[in-house]
Amino acid sequence: MELKNSIRSIKDYPVKGVIFRDITTLLREKDAFQEAIDSLAELAKKYKPDQVVGVEARGFIIGAALAYKLGCGFVPVRKPGKLPYDKISESYGLEYGEDVIEVHVDAIKKGEKVLIVDDLLATGGTSRATANLVEKLGGEVLAFLFMIELLDLKGRKLLEGYEVESLLKYE
């Protein structure tokens, strides 16, 4: 199956000139979703993580399924005000502003090996901020895994020094 055929492209969303890669169409197709998770698991198995960290919101879907497949734990990284326990936060730049993400202070134990997973690598800001949170808690970032990578936004540059893998690449 060609996974790219399962992803909807929406022009001028969220702003004019952007092509949004919508994975909801892939998620609803059981064969495509299974193939995507199986393919990510194949890439991930060499890392042998203790935890998979997924970023709100689509990173939860992919990350939790991947953690289950790998037999390890899952840690959600959320937007502010969503986590009920003590947390740490990290701010990061977006193409059009700034945002903040948070994680519980006990989500990662010192020395745990972590795989950071998200649906899409664009500029790398969210991913870099997530790595900063993991490292503040004493975790070791093994690699980043993405379903989609937007090559022209050069998100890998912000993640230099880390392993970065993606299933699908778009110019």
Side-chain angles (χ1 to χ4, degrees), residues 5 25 28 64 66 72 75 87-88 90 110 116 146 170:
N5 293 337
T25 47
R28 72 168 303 280
L66 185 60
C72 61
V75 173
K87 56 205 153 284
I88 59 170
E90 183 81 14
K110 190 175 175 91
I116 298 173
F146 302 96
Y170 290 87

Side-chain angles (χ1 to χ4, degrees), residues 102-164:
E102 299 179 333
V103 68
H104 282 142
V105 295
D106 60 355
I108 304 290
K109 292 178 178 55
K110 190 175 175 91
E112 281 190 313
K113 296 179 183 332
V114 174
L115 201 55
I116 298 173
V117 178
D118 209 350
D119 67 316
L120 184 111
L121 173 59
T123 64
T126 307
S127 300
R128 182 64 220 201
T130 302
N132 291 347
L133 288 173
V134 168
E135 291 168 350
K136 281 180 186 178
L137 294 174
E140 176 190 347
V141 177
L142 299 171
F144 292 88
L145 288 184
F146 302 96
M147 189 177 294
I148 297 170
E149 181 176 357
L150 304 178
L151 296 171
D152 31 339
L153 294 179
K154 299 177 178 35
R156 280 180 185 254
K157 184 138 183 77
L158 201 55
L159 304 178
E160 281 181 352
Y162 295 100
E163 292 286 321
V164 177

Side-chain angles (χ1 to χ4, degrees), residues 2-4 7 26 32-44 62 66 118-121 144-149 156 164-170:
E2 175 59 42
L3 288 178
K4 275 190 176 180
I7 295 171
L26 179 144
F33 186 35
Q34 288 174 342
E35 182 180 335
I37 296 302
D38 288 347
S39 297
L40 286 169
E42 191 60 35
L43 290 174
I62 296 161
L66 185 60
D118 209 350
D119 67 316
L120 184 111
L121 173 59
F144 292 88
L145 288 184
F146 302 96
M147 189 177 294
I148 297 170
E149 181 176 357
R156 280 180 185 254
V164 177
E165 301 196 49
S166 55
L167 285 184
L168 306 170
K169 294 172 175 59
Y170 290 87

Side-chain angles (χ1 to χ4, degrees), residues 55-57 77-80 89-102 118 123-133 158:
V55 183
E56 189 169 342
V77 169
R78 303 220 52 193
K79 294 178 179 166
S89 62
E90 183 81 14
S91 63
Y92 60 98
L94 297 166
E95 298 127 293
Y96 37 82
E98 192 170 288
D99 211 345
V100 176
I101 53 174
E102 299 179 333
D118 209 350
T123 64
T126 307
S127 300
R128 182 64 220 201
T130 302
N132 291 347
L133 288 173
L158 201 55

Side-chain angles (χ1 to χ4, degrees), residues 11-43:
K11 291 183 179 177
D12 297 325
Y13 183 84
V15 294
K16 189 166 180 60
V18 171
I19 300 174
F20 184 81
R21 305 301 176 174
D22 180 15
I23 68 163
T24 62
T25 47
L26 179 144
L27 296 173
R28 72 168 303 280
E29 294 178 30
K30 69 174 180 148
D31 292 338
F33 186 35
Q34 288 174 342
E35 182 180 335
I37 296 302
D38 288 347
S39 297
L40 286 169
E42 191 60 35
L43 290 174

